[in-house]
Amino acid sequence: MLRARITLVVIVAVVAAIVVTLATSYRAVSELVGNQIDLSLNDRADAVIAVLPAVLPERSDTIEQLLSADGSARPLLPGHLSLPVSEADHRVARTGSGTAEYNIDLDGEPYGILTKPRPGGGAVMVAQRYHESERIDNEFLWRTGGITVIAVALSALLSWLAIGRILRPVRRLLAATEQISTTQDLSVPLPPTGRDEIGRLTGSFDTMLSALRRSRAQQHRLVQDASHELRTPLTSIRGSAELLQRARGRLGAEDETKVLDTLVQESAALDDLVAELVELATDQHTAEEPAELDLPAVAEDCAQRFRHRSGRTITVTADEPEPVLARPRALARCVDNLISNAIKFSPADAPVDVHIHRTELTVRDQGPGIAADDTTVIFDRFYRAANTQGTPGSGLGLAIVADIITAHDGTVFAEHGPGARIGFRLPPREPAPGRRRR
């Protein structure tokens, strides 16, 4: 569970921070307590030297002892333990200079001993029990340990609540996406979006769903339109085949030729329609890598192919052309479709003009033109204007142009008037550093 894992990570981080803080604090406190004990021991020794030979005020945590220069030792207060004398203590008493400081155990308890020389000879030995230091250490550990447990528990609770609140939109988004995956219903609403990362993620999912909804709607419309358009040539082919089957050689040569011509024409139209449907549905050019292209060169290559096929006069002119970034075969298909469309709707001897201005390519024919109401719909799939219903064609050529150009972040356009002017605009290719545009 994501919430539990994140909470565990937070707890581990908090515990690690507290442990580091605790270790650092304990070391600092221990050093401070040790320094205070050393200072107290030194002050007690100075006090003993100052008051002797008067009566010394008794302290329960210290033992005082006089050490003579000849090595004899006696406690200053009756009833106190005798302190063991080391060679370092004898040296201080004998020389009257320096100090001796070390730790020992007396009756199972730790003591710190300080030996300082006494004016007039000998030395004073003072021992102080470390129980206060141990008490402070233990109290510090218990208190900080308790605070650590409380802090960890509180951090765990707050983390659990905070992470649950943070992950709530994620759970809602997960529930919505699981419902969509289970039901395949793209209309399931997503939770409201916000300005944080989760809100932006939800917005991205919503945008993706919108694109999927549009794609599914387009697929449904394509299937419906395709079934309608395929039915026409199939009906003609079937009717012609049934006529030949029923006649079985009884048709005249002229009638039989007409039926066979119909079969060939409708089969060719059906083949073209299926090929264009496959291209429109699969977008075969998306695997191409975009490249910097020269529009006049692409247009001239396409025009040259149609000159050989149809014998038409096709002129290509350019005005301040600029390079574009596009997929080569896809862009060539767009120009091919525009020239083919112009040839199809022009008189047999009429020229076709292709003109490039910057990143805009326009193809103009001498045909019946486009009605003002049709300029925005001729790029729809299977759309056929009223004055072109008798002209062979699938009604997909301009739709393929629109799809390819839109995928390149460009726009398509058509203008009405004498003849037809149909074309597209592409965004200009940014010039390389140091290169000037033409």
Side-chain angles (χ1 to χ4, degrees), residues 159-413:
S159 299
W160 182 264
L161 297 176
I163 293 171
R165 183 178 181 84
I166 293 172
L167 294 180
R168 191 176 303 155
V170 177
R171 291 197 298 271
R172 293 174 180 171
L173 179 60
L174 177 61
T177 54
E178 286 179 343
Q179 184 178 355
I180 293 172
S181 300
T182 303
T183 63
Q184 300 296 313
D185 182 8
L186 299 181
S187 63
V188 173
L190 296 180
T193 60
R195 295 183 180 180
D196 56 3
E197 288 77 3
I198 298 176
R200 291 165 57 190
L201 175 63
T202 304
S204 298
F205 269 103
D206 194 39
T207 302
M208 180 183 65
L209 278 180
S210 299
L212 288 175
R213 283 192 289 267
R214 289 194 299 270
S215 177
R216 176 176 287 185
Q218 291 173 354
Q219 288 178 1
H220 288 170
R221 183 164 60 87
L222 177 62
V223 171
Q224 293 171 356
D225 293 344
S227 64
H228 174 74
E229 294 296 326
L230 288 170
R231 191 175 292 115
T232 300
L234 285 175
T235 300
S236 179
I237 292 172
R238 180 176 180 178
S240 299
E242 289 177 348
L243 177 59
L244 289 176
Q245 184 183 42
R246 287 195 303 269
R248 295 188 181 278
R250 295 193 298 274
L251 286 176
E254 183 178 352
D255 292 335
E256 186 173 337
T257 299
K258 290 181 179 179
V259 173
L260 290 176
D261 288 343
T262 300
L263 282 172
V264 172
Q265 292 173 0
E266 294 296 339
S267 297
L270 183 61
D271 183 65
D272 291 341
L273 178 59
V274 170
E276 290 187 336
L277 279 173
V278 170
E279 180 171 356
L280 192 63
T282 59
D283 195 6
Q284 298 176 7
H285 301 298
T286 55
E288 279 189 293
E289 287 294 329
E292 183 176 301
L293 301 177
D294 185 57
L295 268 179
V298 175
E300 181 60 34
D301 289 343
C302 296
Q304 189 62 28
R305 289 196 298 271
F306 280 94
R307 292 188 191 111
H308 288 307
R309 294 178 191 172
S310 62
R312 289 289 186 100
T313 299
I314 304 175
T315 61
V316 179
T317 58
D319 175 21
E320 299 180 3
E322 296 183 8
V324 296
L325 184 66
R327 299 183 180 95
R329 285 189 297 142
L331 188 62
R333 180 59 191 270
C334 291
V335 179
D336 284 345
N337 284 9
L338 292 177
I339 295 177
S340 175
N341 186 77
I343 291 175
K344 186 186 303 180
F345 295 105
S346 296
D349 57 348
V352 173
D353 298 321
V354 181
H355 181 70
I356 296 97
H357 174 67
R358 295 188 181 276
T359 61
E360 176 183 295
L361 183 143
T362 306
V363 177
R364 182 170 184 174
D365 60 48
Q366 304 298 323
I370 304 172
D373 294 339
D374 291 339
T375 56
T376 58
V377 294
I378 62 169
F379 295 99
D380 292 346
R381 297 169 181 174
F382 302 108
Y383 181 79
R384 304 291 297 276
N387 58 351
T388 62
Q389 295 293 331
T391 305
S394 64
L396 291 175
L398 295 183
I400 292 174
V401 173
D403 280 3
I404 293 176
I405 296 301
T406 301
H408 285 78
D409 297 325
T411 56
V412 293
F413 61 88

Side-chain angles (χ1 to χ4, degrees), residues 422-435:
I422 306 175
F424 58 81
R425 300 182 188 91
L426 289 173
R429 168 68 167 168
E430 291 297 328
R435 174 180 174 181

Side-chain angles (χ1 to χ4, degrees), residues 52-87:
L52 287 178
V55 178
L56 183 70
E58 184 177 359
R59 277 180 50 176
S60 60
D61 61 337
T62 61
I63 300 174
E64 296 80 11
Q65 180 172 278
L66 284 178
L67 180 64
S68 63
D70 59 5
S72 61
R74 66 177 180 84
L76 287 178
L77 295 175
H80 280 200
L81 296 174
S82 296
L83 298 177
V85 181
S86 67
E87 182 58 33

Side-chain angles (χ1 to χ4, degrees), residues 151-163:
V152 170
L154 185 60
S155 299
L157 177 60
L158 294 178
S159 299
W160 182 264
L161 297 176
I163 293 171

